[in-house]
């Protein structure tokens, strides 16, 4: 007894639209039609459809099914390519599971940037947005350092920056900027690459700087941006002062060593 399109699809565990799609691609031969115009599928059509579905389950691309189903000489290469792609998908799924486990463990928001699950409680919504952008700009080594900086519990400036109103007064801005500057100096000392991050920006310095600058401008209000700008200026001045002091101290030590050398006068 011949089958209708729906009956054939049910027998093969697929849908009518899928059967029609296979017809359009020329993978499944068109059957004869009854007097009333309805298609009538036979066993050969069911077997062909089941073979196509088998290849689809294996992950064979539709564009290569003709060659594989006919046993062409390129079949082993196609299968190896599919196997390699499946391996990548498995690794991707395993990574996703690891992230889900970390999100559940730390009760972090589901959209927290990858790798920042453990410090999610220290990130505001704006912080998460910035870190998402950073994850597209910096390399993995830099992101590892950024995670460590985020986990720094001595930095308590985050909530104050997040809650700073656009009309914050001068004293509030200045005091917060000084606190932020101290943290910046600390991080610059621990992670020197922050002073020149070019080596950690795979997309290039210009596009990364522009993207980061645009993000800050859009996400933070005028007072917050003012505080961050002041803090960076202060941090630069502090570092310059320390470097000048170190250079002066080194110069004094060199002069003392020369004075104590073989040619120095003795009392």
């Amino acid at each position: 007894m011949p089958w209708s399109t729906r009956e054939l699809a049910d027998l093969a565990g697929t849908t009518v639209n899928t059967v029609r799609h296979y017809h359009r691609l020329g993978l499944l031969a068109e059957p004869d039609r009854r007097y009333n115009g309805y298609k009538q599928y036979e066993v050969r059509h069911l077997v062909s459809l089941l073979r196509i579905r088998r290849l689809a389950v294996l992950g064979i691309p539709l564009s290569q099914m003709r060659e594989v189903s006919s046993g062409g000489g390129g079949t082993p290469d196609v299968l190896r390519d599919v196997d390699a792609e499946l391996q990548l998908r498995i690794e991707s799924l395993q990574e996703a599971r690891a992230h889900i486990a970390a999100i559940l463990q730390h009760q972090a928001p589901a959209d927290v940037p990858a790798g920042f699950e453990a410090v999610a409680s220290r990130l505001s919504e704006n912080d998460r947005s910035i870190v998402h952008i950073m994850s597209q700009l910096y390399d993995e080594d830099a992101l590892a350092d950024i995670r460590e900086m985020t986990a720094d519990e001595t930095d308590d400036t985050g909530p104050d920056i997040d809650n700073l109103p656009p009309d914050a007064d001068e004293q509030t801005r200045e005091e917060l900027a000084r606190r932020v500057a101290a943290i910046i100096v600390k991080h610059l000392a621990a992670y020197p690459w922050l002073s020149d991050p070019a080596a950690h920006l795979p997309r290039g310095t210009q596009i990364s700087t522009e993207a980061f600058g645009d993000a800050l401008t859009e996400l933070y209000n005028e007072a917050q941006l003012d505080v961050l700008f002041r803090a960076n200026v202060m941090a630069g001045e502090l570092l310059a002062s320390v470097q000048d002091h170190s250079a002066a101290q080194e110069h004094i030590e060199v002069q003392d060593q020369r004075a104590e050398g073989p040619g120095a006068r003795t009392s």
Side-chain angles (χ1 to χ4, degrees):
M1 176 180 178
W3 298 297
S4 67
T5 305
R6 184 169 300 282
E7 290 170 335
L8 179 76
D10 288 342
L11 283 170
T14 187
T15 66
V16 170
N17 285 336
T18 299
V19 172
R20 290 171 177 166
H21 184 54
Y22 291 156
H23 281 317
R24 287 194 295 269
L25 294 177
L27 293 175
L28 183 64
E30 291 279 357
D32 295 331
R33 293 181 180 269
R34 301 178 185 177
Y35 67 92
N36 56 8
Y38 287 103
K39 295 176 180 177
Q40 47 184 5
Y41 291 92
E42 301 174 5
V43 171
R44 61 189 177 89
H45 297 105
L46 175 60
V47 172
S48 294
L49 181 56
L50 290 173
R51 287 176 174 171
I52 294 170
R53 296 302 299 158
R54 169 59 177 165
L55 295 178
V57 168
L58 292 177
I60 305 299
L62 293 175
S63 61
Q64 295 176 297
M65 281 192 179
R66 282 181 177 277
E67 179 180 0
V68 175
S69 61
S70 65
T75 297
D77 290 335
V78 172
L79 292 174
R80 291 188 189 97
D81 289 343
V82 170
D83 185 61
E85 183 178 343
L86 289 173
Q87 180 61 39
L88 291 176
R89 288 172 59 188
I90 290 171
E91 292 172 0
S92 178
L93 291 172
Q94 289 175 334
E95 183 178 1
R97 291 195 66 201
H99 288 311
I100 289 174
I103 289 170
L104 294 174
Q105 177 184 355
H106 299 286
Q107 299 181 340
D111 63 351
V112 66
F116 286 79
E117 297 86 358
V119 295
S121 61
R122 296 181 57 80
L123 298 174
S124 67
E125 186 169 345
N126 280 348
D127 291 334
R128 293 204 303 274
S129 298
I130 290 293
V131 173
H132 270 301
I133 294 172
M134 284 181 170
S135 67
Q136 298 302 307
L137 302 178
Y138 290 96
D139 62 19
E140 285 302 320
D141 290 339
L143 289 174
D145 289 342
I146 291 171
R147 282 192 288 270
E148 291 182 1
M149 285 183 264
T150 304
D152 181 7
E153 295 185 357
T154 64
D155 179 7
D156 60 354
T157 61
D160 291 331
I161 294 175
D162 295 335
N163 298 322
L164 191 69
D167 59 351
D169 60 60
E170 173 64 21
Q171 181 179 353
T172 300
R173 296 186 187 201
E174 187 71 9
E175 290 178 352
L176 181 54
R178 291 188 183 281
R179 290 168 54 204
V180 174
I183 297 298
I184 293 175
V185 169
K186 177 183 176 181
H187 288 166
L188 286 171
Y191 311 99
W193 65 266
L194 289 171
S195 298
D196 184 14
H200 296 278
L201 297 171
R203 297 176 185 271
T205 302
Q206 182 176 349
I207 188 173
S208 299
T209 301
E210 291 175 354
F212 191 69
D214 290 345
L216 289 176
T217 301
E218 184 171 333
L219 292 171
Y220 293 97
N221 64 41
E222 185 275 332
Q224 293 168 326
L225 291 172
D226 180 42
V227 166
L228 294 175
F229 176 77
R230 293 191 194 195
N232 277 282
V233 172
M234 291 178 184
E237 293 173 348
L238 285 170
L239 285 173
S241 175
V242 170
Q243 290 170 354
D244 289 344
H245 176 75
S246 298
Q249 186 64 35
E250 183 178 351
H251 177 72
I252 291 172
E253 291 175 355
V254 169
Q255 294 302 316
D256 288 344
Q257 290 173 1
R258 288 177 178 174
E260 294 173 357
R265 294 183 180 178
T266 57
S267 55

